[in-house]
Amino acid sequence: MVTPALEMLERYPARLSHVDRRALANCIEECFACVEACTASADASLCEEEVTELRKCIRVTLDCADVCDATGRVLSRNTGYDAHVTRAVLESCATVCAAAADECERHTGHDHVQLCAAACRRCATACRELLAELA
């Protein structure tokens, strides 16, 4: 399946010698999917009766959304590629996503939080896989 990110990368006018386009596109897509899941879950958590118990979860998912958004944007820009910046952003994103997933998984009684945890795990995996692919 051709995703919007892959379609843009396939039309990128310069050669991307530092990375596989499919791995890059997958990571971009997972980052933005995680932004959506984290934002929606945090908002849904605010409607829960036990919102106080979800306070840390709300905070960490909102932090995760911000980091994933920044990572997706950085990865979408390939002109003047800097491996040090890209690696640092990917490592940070993987770390924050793993922390968010861990926190979300503690709240088993909330389906939206579990969906968020799964999105965070997928994003962390995509970040780690892309890190392994970088030249």
Side-chain angles (χ1 to χ4, degrees), residues 64-131:
C64 187
D66 288 343
V67 171
C68 288
D69 187 49
T71 302
R73 289 192 329 258
V74 168
L75 295 177
S76 295
R77 297 187 291 260
N78 289 286
T79 303
Y81 168 74
D82 184 321
H84 298 293
V85 170
T86 301
R87 285 183 190 283
V89 169
L90 285 168
E91 288 169 0
S92 295
C93 192
T95 299
V96 173
C97 284
D102 288 348
E103 178 60 29
C104 288
E105 288 168 351
R106 293 184 47 231
H107 304 280
T108 57
H110 306 283
D111 291 342
H112 60 87
V113 178
Q114 297 311 303
L115 290 172
C116 182
C120 291
R121 292 277 180 226
R122 286 191 306 273
C123 188
T125 297
C127 287
R128 285 190 215 98
E129 288 173 354
L130 185 58
L131 272 166

Side-chain angles (χ1 to χ4, degrees), residues 4-126:
L6 182 57
E7 194 168 4
M8 288 299 290
L9 289 169
E10 287 177 347
R11 286 167 174 69
Y12 190 72
R15 187 169 166 261
L16 295 178
S17 60
H18 64 283
V19 69
D20 174 73
R21 288 176 194 235
R22 288 196 178 273
L24 178 57
N26 180 59
C27 193
I28 292 168
E29 295 287 343
E30 291 296 347
C31 283
F32 290 130
C34 195
V35 170
E36 180 183 3
C38 286
T39 302
S41 181
D43 182 67
S45 292
L46 291 172
C47 293
E48 296 286 358
E49 291 285 325
E50 56 279 345
V51 67
T52 304
E53 295 170 22
L54 293 166
R55 185 177 290 141
K56 183 176 179 184
C57 189
I58 293 166
R59 169 60 192 264
V60 74
T61 55
L62 290 175
D63 288 348
C64 187
D66 288 343
V67 171
C68 288
D69 187 49
T71 302
R73 289 192 329 258
V74 168
L75 295 177
S76 295
R77 297 187 291 260
N78 289 286
T79 303
Y81 168 74
D82 184 321
H84 298 293
V85 170
T86 301
R87 285 183 190 283
V89 169
L90 285 168
E91 288 169 0
S92 295
C93 192
T95 299
V96 173
C97 284
D102 288 348
E103 178 60 29
C104 288
E105 288 168 351
R106 293 184 47 231
H107 304 280
T108 57
H110 306 283
D111 291 342
H112 60 87
V113 178
Q114 297 311 303
L115 290 172
C116 182
C120 291
R121 292 277 180 226
R122 286 191 306 273
C123 188
T125 297

